[in-house]
Amino acid sequence: MIKEVLVLGGGSAGFIAAISIKRKIPQLKVLVVRSPSIGVIGVGESTTPNFPPHLFEYLGISRKRFYALAQPTWKLGIRFLWGARGSFDYTFNLQLDTHYADLAKPTGYYCDDDFNDASLPGALMRRDMAFPRQENGAPDIHGWHAFHIENKKFIEILEIVAKEEGVEVTDGKVTGSERGDKGISAVHLEDGRRLTADLFIDASGFRSELLGKTLEEPFVSFDKSLFCKKAVIGGWERGPDEPILPYTTAETMDAGWAWRIDHEHLINRGYVYCPDHISDDEAAAEFQRKNPKAKIEPKIVNFRSGFYQRQWVDNVVAFGNAGGFVEPLESTAIMILCSHVQTLVDFLLHSDLEPTPTMQRLYNDLTANTWNDIRQFLSLHYKFNGKLDTPFWKVAREETDVSGIADFIEFYQENGPTGFCRYQLPRSENDFGLEGFLVMMVGNQVPYKKRYKATQQEAQAWARRKQQFAQEANRGIRSEEALAYIKHPGWQWNSDATK
Ligand SMILES: Cc1cc2nc3c(=O)[nH]c(=O)nc-3n(C[C@H](O)[C@H](O)[C@H](O)COP(=O)(O)OP(=O)(O)OC[C@H]3O[C@@H](n4cnc5c(N)ncnc54)[C@H](O)[C@@H]3O)c2cc1C
C-alpha cells in the first residue's frame, strides 16, 4: 500500500501534483524535492479553462487569496493572427458548434466571409472586453475564462499552499536512484541523503530524471507534425496607453509564431520557431523588429514535442514536462497536468492505494489519448495557415503530418462545418471539442464543396443576432476595470464565478 510519495521537482507540475495528492488523500506523506541550482523553466504563463476550477473547486484554494498573491489576468481565448483572413478569435465558449433555430444550418456555414461577433465571447474578445457588465456596473465573471499568470508568482503561491496543506519541501539535487522490486526504492541526493518512498512523482521538467533517464521509457516524438523546437522570449513593462488584452495572441512569424501574453504590469512575448528555417540570431532579430520595446531574455528555450509512451511505469508517474510536452500554441501543458493529476488521484482512491496493473495500463492509455489529441489539433493549425508564403510556412502546409485526422479533413472538405464532423474526429471526447477543430477550419477558410448561400431572411436573422452580441459586448468591461472591482475590499466572490 502506498503511504509515502516523493515528488521530484518544485515547478508548477511538482507543486500542483503534490497539493492535489495531499489535499485529496491527506493520509499520504508527501515530500517535494527540488534543486535551487537547477531552478525552474520559468515559462508557462497561459492556461485553459479547466485551470480555475482545478484551483478553486478541486483544490479549494480561496479566490480572494489566489488573486491577491498570483495576480492573474483573464484569458477568454486565443487571437490567431493567422490564415487567409488574417485574424480570427478562438474563444473558450461555443461559437461555431451551435445551431440556431431560425437558421437552416449550423453557425459555421454563416461565417465563411465574416467570422466576427459570431457569439458573445467572440464579440467581447473582438472589443478587448473581459466580461459582460451586470446591471449594477460590476463584471459578470463567467466561467469560460482561463488565466495568464507569471510563472514565478504562480510557483511562489503554490509553494505557500503546499506547505499549508502539510506537504514537506526540501532543497536538494537528485543524483542517482536505487531500483527495487516495485520500481524505484530510493533516490540519492548530492548532499548524501537517501530518500525512500512508495510512489515517485517525476516532475523534474525536461530532464525527466526518473521516467526518461532512469527507467528509459521510450519517447513518442511528434516531429512529423510539429516542426518548431526553440523559443526566444522577451517582454516589456506595460505602458499607460497599452490596454490589458483579455486573450493570448498567436501571431504568424516567418519561421513559426509568436505569443503575446498580457499580465497586469508586464507584456510577455515569445517566438516559437523552427531552427531548420531560421538561425537563433535571425529569430531574435525578427522578434525584436516586431517588438521594439521587448527586452530579450538571454536564454533560448529548447524543447521537443511528444510524450513518454507510458506516463506511469512501475512506481513512477510523470507530470508536466517530465512526462511530455507539446509546443505551446494552445497553452496545453497546465491543462493536461491538471487533468492527469485528477485521474491519478482517482485511480489511487479507487484502488485503496494499491493500484492494480490493469489500472496502470488504463491510466497510460487514457493519458496517451490526451497527448495524441493535442498533436492532431495543433497539426491543423500548421497545415492550414495560409497567411505567409515563407519557406517555413510552405513546408508546414505541404509536409505537416495530418494523417491521424485525415477522415475529419476529408469529411469537412466535402461537407463543410456541420456538427456531424464530430463523428469523424479520432476521439470526439477530446479536450477541444468539435468547436476547436471547426474554428481552425472556418478561421483558416479551408475550402469545402458545399458552400452555402444564406437566404435573405436568414442573412437578416444572423445579422440581428450578431448585432445583439455586439451591443452586449460594447457595454462590456475591460480587464483593468474588472481588476479594480475584484481588488476592492468589499468585493465578494460567489460560486457563480465558475459556472
Ligand atoms: C517555450 C515554452 C512555452 C510554454 N508556454 C506554456 C504556456 O503558455 N502554458 C502552459 O501551460 N505551459 C507552457 N509551457 C510548459 C511549461 O513549461 C509548463 O507548463 C510548466 O512550467 C511546468 O514545468 P515543470 O514543473 O514540468 O518543469 P520545471 O519548471 O522545469 O520544474 C522542474 C523542477 O524539477 C527540479 N529538478 C529537475 N531535476 C532535478 C534533480 N536532479 N534534482 C532535484 N530537482 C530537480 C527543478 O529544480 C524544478 O524545480 C511552455 C513551455 C515552453 C518550453
Side-chain angles (χ1 to χ4, degrees), residues 5-65:
V5 180
L6 186 148
V7 178
L8 174 55
S12 48
F15 276 121
I16 287 179
I19 297 167
S20 304
I21 292 170
K22 184 70 188 169
R23 176 96 189 161
K24 295 294 172 183
I25 319 177
Q27 68 270 33
L28 288 177
K29 184 169 176 286
V30 180
L31 170 70
V32 171
V33 183
R34 49 102 192 265
S35 159
S37 64
I38 295 173
V40 295
I41 186 166
V43 283
E45 311 209 311
S46 181
T47 63
T48 66
N50 79 334
F51 179 61
H54 188 88
L55 289 178
F56 304 135
E57 289 168 18
Y58 188 76
L59 296 179
I61 296 174
S62 138
R63 284 185 181 78
K64 203 170 188 68
R65 188 132 175 271

Side-chain angles (χ1 to χ4, degrees), residues 253-279:
M253 302 282 274
D254 288 353
W257 64 278
W259 74 72
R260 171 181 163 137
I261 292 174
D262 276 63
H263 300 296
E264 195 175 348
H265 304 294
L266 285 177
I267 294 173
N268 182 333
R269 299 217 64 176
Y271 180 3
V272 173
Y273 58 93
C274 172
D276 298 345
H277 288 271
I278 198 167
S279 70

Side-chain angles (χ1 to χ4, degrees), residues 12 97 166 234 251 274 413 459:
S12 48
D97 190 14
E251 177 182 4
C274 172
Q413 287 175 330

Side-chain angles (χ1 to χ4, degrees), residues 125 183 189 205 230 263 285 304 320 383 407:
M125 252 179 90
L189 269 54
K230 288 186 165 206
H263 300 296
R304 59 178 178 170
K383 181 79 183 167
D407 288 349

Side-chain angles (χ1 to χ4, degrees), residues 102 457-469:
D102 52 0
Q457 204 181 3
E458 280 185 306
Q460 284 167 354
W462 181 229
R464 271 196 307 277
R465 179 160 287 111
K466 282 164 61 126
Q467 210 178 0
Q468 283 164 7
F469 294 141

Side-chain angles (χ1 to χ4, degrees), residues 8-14 33-36 38-47 151 155 172-174 203-207 209 231 233 259 261 272 301 303 319-322 325 328 331-335:
L8 174 55
S12 48
V33 183
R34 49 102 192 265
S35 159
I38 295 173
V40 295
I41 186 166
V43 283
E45 311 209 311
S46 181
T47 63
N151 187 269
I155 292 172
K173 184 171 176 184
V174 169
S204 61
F206 287 137
R207 301 165 73 96
E209 295 279 3
I233 295 165
W259 74 72
I261 292 174
V272 173
V301 181
F303 57 83
F319 289 119
N321 295 341
F325 174 70
S331 327
T332 41
I334 292 174
M335 170 185 95

